[in-house]
Amino acid sequence: MAPEFIIAGWGFAILLLLIVLRAPIALAMLLVGALGYVHILDWTALLNYLKSTPYHLFANYTLSVIPLFILMGALAERGGLARELFAACNALVGRRPGGMLMSVIGASSAFSAISGSSVATTATFGRAALPELLRYRTDPGLATATIAIGGTLGILIPPSVILVIYAITTEQNIAKLFIASLIPGLLATALYMLAVWLLVRKRPQLAPPCDPMSAAERARAFREVIPVLLIAFVVVGGIYAGIFTPTESAAVGCVAVLVVGWMRGDLPWRELKAALLSTAETTAMIFAILLGAEIFNAFLALSQAPDLLALWVTEQSFPPYGVLAVLLLTYIVLGAVMDELAMMLLTLPVFFPVVTGLDFGMPTEEVGIWFGMLVLVVVGIGLTAPPIGLNVFVISSIAKQVPIAAIYRGVMPYLAMDILRLVLCVAFPGLSLWLVRILT
């Protein structure tokens, strides 16, 4: 075994140890990557690399889409758009048993079209929908679990910040990935609603219906949600129709959300300032992780570990779907104990060459897109799976009166649907690739 390959193995082990010890992800990746780089070459080579790498990384025009999507979601959150989406969905199905939970899922799906963050979607609906759910005596564990699971749609329904990171890391086309994610995202929405229907069919007391609305109340709810739906249609439809690039779409969406919030008086200077500050903080965190990942990936490239591993897997003639199953299982395990962004940036430089080197009976580009959809599904599972489901912790911080064990129990039926969706997406790649083949 090549000495560089052994060095890469030690680098992974030390990095995971630092993560377990709660070291900042960005700093841990940068430190291990830099020391590994020096061990293979020397300090002069590392300093020469650092002279230009940070500039070229952050000057990449493609990265500008990240703060724009984050800002659009922050403005939508502060502008009360989630509340209007929930009210409109509630007007449609809220009077049925389980209807309010279905309203959360439907509203989260629509909100995800203007917010690419799962955490932001969870926090927003925790404030917009949870009080109403509890007021109508919805089971607290199930109510909070539904909001947490609805938040995972934020990384599936385009635009998605995580999907942008995947595209940049693997050098895939962002627009094609956005197109590919639509059907898996809508499938997730449908399966989550099916889970609610199955639960309340046996135990209606878990989610009682809300009070019936008058025709005038329903009309007002539908009327107030029209601007939100138009923004979502322009942002997503503009990408699919080829009118906007993802970056242009994000910019148009930001302006549209800002104008709607300002005209309604829901975005005073205090809220606008808070949205801008939260966008700056989140963007800085993501960019710091990207820089750490860039240094760590440079170390891996010098060690040739990803290429050697991909070559070894190919030479062993392992069944492609068997290898894929092992990688996806690894993602599920890591996702239960790691931040999803760090997990992706840590594993993709190794896993992606392995997957694209296998024969799945389709072009390499399509394999890259399909694998991206599968990664999104397993990352979504990690966001709500015990013991460290990030979305569960977010909603738990809002609903302090609900034990976290009750939230995890409520999540379980949805996780079963996630596993079903993962199996369907693996067995039928066309679910991810059909729209791409038609629209591009």
Side-chain angles (χ1 to χ4, degrees), residues 201-223:
R201 187 183 180 191
K202 290 186 175 182
R203 301 173 63 190
Q205 71 276 13
L206 287 176
C210 67
D211 296 333
M213 290 186 181
S214 66
E217 288 173 329
R218 286 198 298 271
R220 183 171 64 252
F222 295 147
R223 186 169 59 251

Side-chain angles (χ1 to χ4, degrees), residues 62-299:
T62 306
L63 281 178
S64 62
V65 75
I66 294 176
L68 287 172
F69 279 141
I70 294 172
L71 177 60
M72 182 166 58
L75 292 173
E77 176 189 355
R78 300 283 175 174
L81 301 187
R83 183 177 60 251
E84 294 165 0
L85 282 169
F86 176 65
C89 291
N90 224 14
L92 278 176
V93 298
R95 62 186 181 277
R96 304 175 183 275
M100 294 185 71
L101 295 179
M102 293 183 185
S103 298
V104 170
I105 294 168
S108 297
S109 178
F111 188 78
S112 297
I114 50 178
S115 174
S117 167
S118 63
V119 171
T121 303
T122 302
T124 301
F125 281 94
R127 289 186 285 268
L130 186 59
E132 281 294 292
L133 292 172
L134 297 181
R135 186 165 73 89
Y136 283 98
R137 303 183 308 281
T138 304
D139 179 78
L142 184 58
T144 48
T146 302
I147 293 172
I149 210 74
T152 64
L153 296 170
I155 64 170
L156 274 169
I157 305 290
S160 164
V161 173
I162 291 292
L163 203 52
V164 172
I165 300 297
Y166 176 88
I168 293 170
T169 305
T170 61
E171 299 181 351
Q172 298 296 300
N173 184 288
I174 296 178
K176 289 183 178 180
L177 287 168
F178 279 179
I179 293 171
S181 67
L182 182 62
I183 291 180
L186 295 178
L187 178 62
T189 303
L191 289 175
Y192 293 155
M193 289 188 177
L194 176 62
V196 172
W197 182 79
L198 292 173
L199 283 171
V200 299
R201 187 183 180 191
K202 290 186 175 182
R203 301 173 63 190
Q205 71 276 13
L206 287 176
C210 67
D211 296 333
M213 290 186 181
S214 66
E217 288 173 329
R218 286 198 298 271
R220 183 171 64 252
F222 295 147
R223 186 169 59 251
E224 289 180 351
V225 84
I226 289 175
V228 188
L229 296 179
L230 285 177
I231 293 172
F233 177 78
V234 169
V235 170
V236 179
I239 296 174
Y240 288 176
I243 299 173
F244 304 131
T245 65
T247 304
E248 292 166 347
S249 176
V252 170
C254 283
V255 173
V257 173
L258 180 61
V259 169
V260 169
W262 175 75
M263 291 180 65
R264 293 182 170 183
D266 292 329
L267 275 177
W269 169 245
R270 183 183 69 258
E271 297 294 343
L272 179 59
K273 180 181 177 182
L276 292 171
L277 285 175
S278 68
T279 299
E281 291 170 357
T282 305
T283 302
M285 179 269 293
I286 291 175
F287 276 35
I289 293 176
L290 285 174
L291 178 59
E294 181 73 15
I295 305 301
F296 186 76
N297 293 343
F299 155 57

